[in-house]
Amino acid sequence: MRIAVCEDCVEDTLLLKHYLRGHDVSIYSDTCSLLDDIDNKKIQFDLYLLDIFMEDSMSGIELAQELRKIQEEAVICFISSSSDFYREAYDLYAVQYLLKPVAEADVRKLLDKVSKSLVRKREPKLSFQSRGQTGSIPYGKIRYISSREHTISIFTTDGTVWEYKGRLSELAVQVCGDTFMRCHQSFIVNMYHVENMSGTGLMVAGDWIPVSRRYYIGVKKRYLEILFEEVD
């Protein structure tokens, strides 16, 4: 994870750098240097840790306001010795507010939270149009896709079934690869949701999905590969 720390206290900076070991961390002792790198060098960070009380002309709150203008979806965490700025942090959609002295456990929770959010944002999504509206579903939430009479049905992990008009062959070109595989003329399956493969079928969330002879060898090979991935 690429992290920017804007903190003018040397002791606090060293502590944060220790907590953030293993990540790509850039340290800034003043707000202008950080803004200069973002604006002129076009550098963006996955997470900004901003001290609210800075000795130079701009506070951490004001810095965050500038960051929002440049990078609307910037992930910001404030660090402060005072809890007086919770409201301002809330208005700026800060992901966290850490009070000094900052505990390593709190930093670890923050990193885990941001890391999971980044994974969700980077996960590919299937886009479609249903009843005049455009929708998108992350690949991980799709169990399998079926087709009948040119109607595509997307079965998701929360039990919702989305339908739209389309051809499964065209969809297969878009999504099939390591995650999704065509297993039948009428079915595409997310192989990471397959619970069991037996005979000529796949068990997915209690539903039995047929595997035709045309796709059997490739589907079985991928099923076994995923089993070994889980063992590792």
Side-chain angles (χ1 to χ4, degrees), residues 20 37 52 119 146 156 158 179 187 198-199 211 222 225:
L20 298 170
D37 275 359
I52 289 180
V119 169
S146 70
T156 64
D158 64 5
T179 300
F187 290 92
S198 178
V211 179
R222 185 62 185 138
E225 286 174 350

mmCIF file of all heavy atoms in Angstrom, residues 20 37 52 119 146 156 158 179 187 198-199 211 222 225:
data_model
loop_
_atom_site.group_PDB
_atom_site.id
_atom_site.type_symbol
_atom_site.label_atom_id
_atom_site.label_comp_id
_atom_site.label_asym_id
_atom_site.label_seq_id
_atom_site.Cartn_x
_atom_site.Cartn_y
_atom_site.Cartn_z
ATOM 1 N N LEU A 20 4.025 1.277 10.189
ATOM 2 C CA LEU A 20 3.675 1.096 8.768
ATOM 3 C C LEU A 20 4.722 0.290 8.003
ATOM 4 O O LEU A 20 4.706 0.278 6.774
ATOM 5 C CB LEU A 20 3.505 2.459 8.100
ATOM 6 C CG LEU A 20 2.385 3.340 8.661
ATOM 7 C CD1 LEU A 20 2.468 4.745 8.082
ATOM 8 C CD2 LEU A 20 1.028 2.725 8.374
ATOM 9 N N ASP A 37 4.043 17.467 -4.489
ATOM 10 C CA ASP A 37 4.248 16.156 -5.113
ATOM 11 C C ASP A 37 2.977 15.676 -5.811
ATOM 12 O O ASP A 37 3.033 15.093 -6.900
ATOM 13 C CB ASP A 37 4.674 15.127 -4.060
ATOM 14 C CG ASP A 37 6.177 15.154 -3.809
ATOM 15 O OD1 ASP A 37 6.868 15.951 -4.476
ATOM 16 O OD2 ASP A 37 6.654 14.387 -2.956
ATOM 17 N N ILE A 52 -3.393 16.920 12.396
ATOM 18 C CA ILE A 52 -4.242 18.114 12.317
ATOM 19 C C ILE A 52 -3.471 19.369 12.692
ATOM 20 O O ILE A 52 -3.592 20.412 12.050
ATOM 21 C CB ILE A 52 -5.488 17.940 13.210
ATOM 22 C CG1 ILE A 52 -6.436 16.908 12.575
ATOM 23 C CG2 ILE A 52 -6.216 19.277 13.396
ATOM 24 C CD1 ILE A 52 -7.697 16.648 13.352
ATOM 25 N N VAL A 119 -9.199 -3.623 -2.326
ATOM 26 C CA VAL A 119 -9.470 -4.870 -3.050
ATOM 27 C C VAL A 119 -10.837 -4.804 -3.712
ATOM 28 O O VAL A 119 -11.012 -5.183 -4.868
ATOM 29 C CB VAL A 119 -9.387 -6.089 -2.101
ATOM 30 C CG1 VAL A 119 -9.942 -7.333 -2.787
ATOM 31 C CG2 VAL A 119 -7.952 -6.323 -1.665
ATOM 32 N N SER A 146 -26.849 -17.945 -16.213
ATOM 33 C CA SER A 146 -27.547 -18.865 -17.116
ATOM 34 C C SER A 146 -28.224 -18.094 -18.244
ATOM 35 O O SER A 146 -28.411 -16.877 -18.151
ATOM 36 C CB SER A 146 -28.593 -19.691 -16.353
ATOM 37 O OG SER A 146 -29.676 -18.876 -15.948
ATOM 38 N N THR A 156 -26.571 -14.198 -7.798
ATOM 39 C CA THR A 156 -25.577 -13.584 -6.929
ATOM 40 C C THR A 156 -25.564 -14.205 -5.534
ATOM 41 O O THR A 156 -26.468 -14.952 -5.161
ATOM 42 C CB THR A 156 -25.847 -12.073 -6.798
ATOM 43 O OG1 THR A 156 -27.109 -11.873 -6.157
ATOM 44 C CG2 THR A 156 -25.866 -11.413 -8.169
ATOM 45 N N ASP A 158 -26.069 -12.874 -2.674
ATOM 46 C CA ASP A 158 -27.114 -12.440 -1.735
ATOM 47 C C ASP A 158 -28.499 -12.949 -2.118
ATOM 48 O O ASP A 158 -29.504 -12.568 -1.515
ATOM 49 C CB ASP A 158 -27.136 -10.907 -1.607
ATOM 50 C CG ASP A 158 -27.500 -10.212 -2.918
ATOM 51 O OD1 ASP A 158 -27.826 -10.912 -3.904
ATOM 52 O OD2 ASP A 158 -27.456 -8.969 -2.965
ATOM 53 N N THR A 179 -11.489 -16.967 -13.502
ATOM 54 C CA THR A 179 -12.586 -16.953 -12.527
ATOM 55 C C THR A 179 -13.843 -17.599 -13.096
ATOM 56 O O THR A 179 -14.421 -18.503 -12.482
ATOM 57 C CB THR A 179 -12.895 -15.509 -12.083
ATOM 58 O OG1 THR A 179 -11.732 -14.948 -11.484
ATOM 59 C CG2 THR A 179 -14.040 -15.494 -11.072
ATOM 60 N N PHE A 187 -24.764 -22.167 -19.506
ATOM 61 C CA PHE A 187 -24.259 -21.775 -18.195
ATOM 62 C C PHE A 187 -22.805 -21.301 -18.227
ATOM 63 O O PHE A 187 -21.966 -21.875 -18.927
ATOM 64 C CB PHE A 187 -24.343 -22.943 -17.203
ATOM 65 C CG PHE A 187 -25.745 -23.297 -16.792
ATOM 66 C CD1 PHE A 187 -26.453 -24.263 -17.480
ATOM 67 C CD2 PHE A 187 -26.351 -22.648 -15.718
ATOM 68 C CE1 PHE A 187 -27.743 -24.596 -17.116
ATOM 69 C CE2 PHE A 187 -27.642 -22.976 -15.337
ATOM 70 C CZ PHE A 187 -28.344 -23.945 -16.031
ATOM 71 N N SER A 198 -18.886 -33.492 -9.559
ATOM 72 C CA SER A 198 -19.122 -34.936 -9.571
ATOM 73 C C SER A 198 -19.796 -35.318 -10.878
ATOM 74 O O SER A 198 -20.806 -34.701 -11.265
ATOM 75 C CB SER A 198 -20.000 -35.339 -8.381
ATOM 76 O OG SER A 198 -20.272 -36.720 -8.400
ATOM 77 N N GLY A 199 -19.236 -36.316 -11.527
ATOM 78 C CA GLY A 199 -19.820 -36.750 -12.786
ATOM 79 C C GLY A 199 -19.787 -35.636 -13.806
ATOM 80 O O GLY A 199 -18.735 -35.084 -14.112
ATOM 81 N N VAL A 211 -22.415 -29.868 -16.766
ATOM 82 C CA VAL A 211 -21.181 -29.639 -17.520
ATOM 83 C C VAL A 211 -21.240 -30.508 -18.765
ATOM 84 O O VAL A 211 -21.296 -31.736 -18.672
ATOM 85 C CB VAL A 211 -19.928 -29.997 -16.688
ATOM 86 C CG1 VAL A 211 -18.670 -29.761 -17.526
ATOM 87 C CG2 VAL A 211 -19.876 -29.180 -15.405
ATOM 88 N N ARG A 222 -9.563 -26.739 -14.162
ATOM 89 C CA ARG A 222 -9.609 -25.511 -13.371
ATOM 90 C C ARG A 222 -10.136 -25.773 -11.961
ATOM 91 O O ARG A 222 -9.651 -25.168 -10.991
ATOM 92 C CB ARG A 222 -10.493 -24.470 -14.064
ATOM 93 C CG ARG A 222 -10.506 -23.107 -13.356
ATOM 94 C CD ARG A 222 -9.139 -22.492 -13.326
ATOM 95 N NE ARG A 222 -9.115 -21.255 -12.557
ATOM 96 C CZ ARG A 222 -8.150 -20.921 -11.713
ATOM 97 N NH1 ARG A 222 -7.123 -21.741 -11.522
ATOM 98 N NH2 ARG A 222 -8.192 -19.794 -11.054
ATOM 99 N N GLU A 225 -7.281 -27.120 -9.978
ATOM 100 C CA GLU A 225 -6.302 -26.066 -9.713
ATOM 101 C C GLU A 225 -6.726 -25.219 -8.514
ATOM 102 O O GLU A 225 -5.912 -24.888 -7.649
ATOM 103 C CB GLU A 225 -6.152 -25.165 -10.941
ATOM 104 C CG GLU A 225 -5.381 -25.804 -12.083
ATOM 105 C CD GLU A 225 -5.378 -24.931 -13.331
ATOM 106 O OE1 GLU A 225 -6.142 -23.925 -13.362
ATOM 107 O OE2 GLU A 225 -4.628 -25.252 -14.265
#
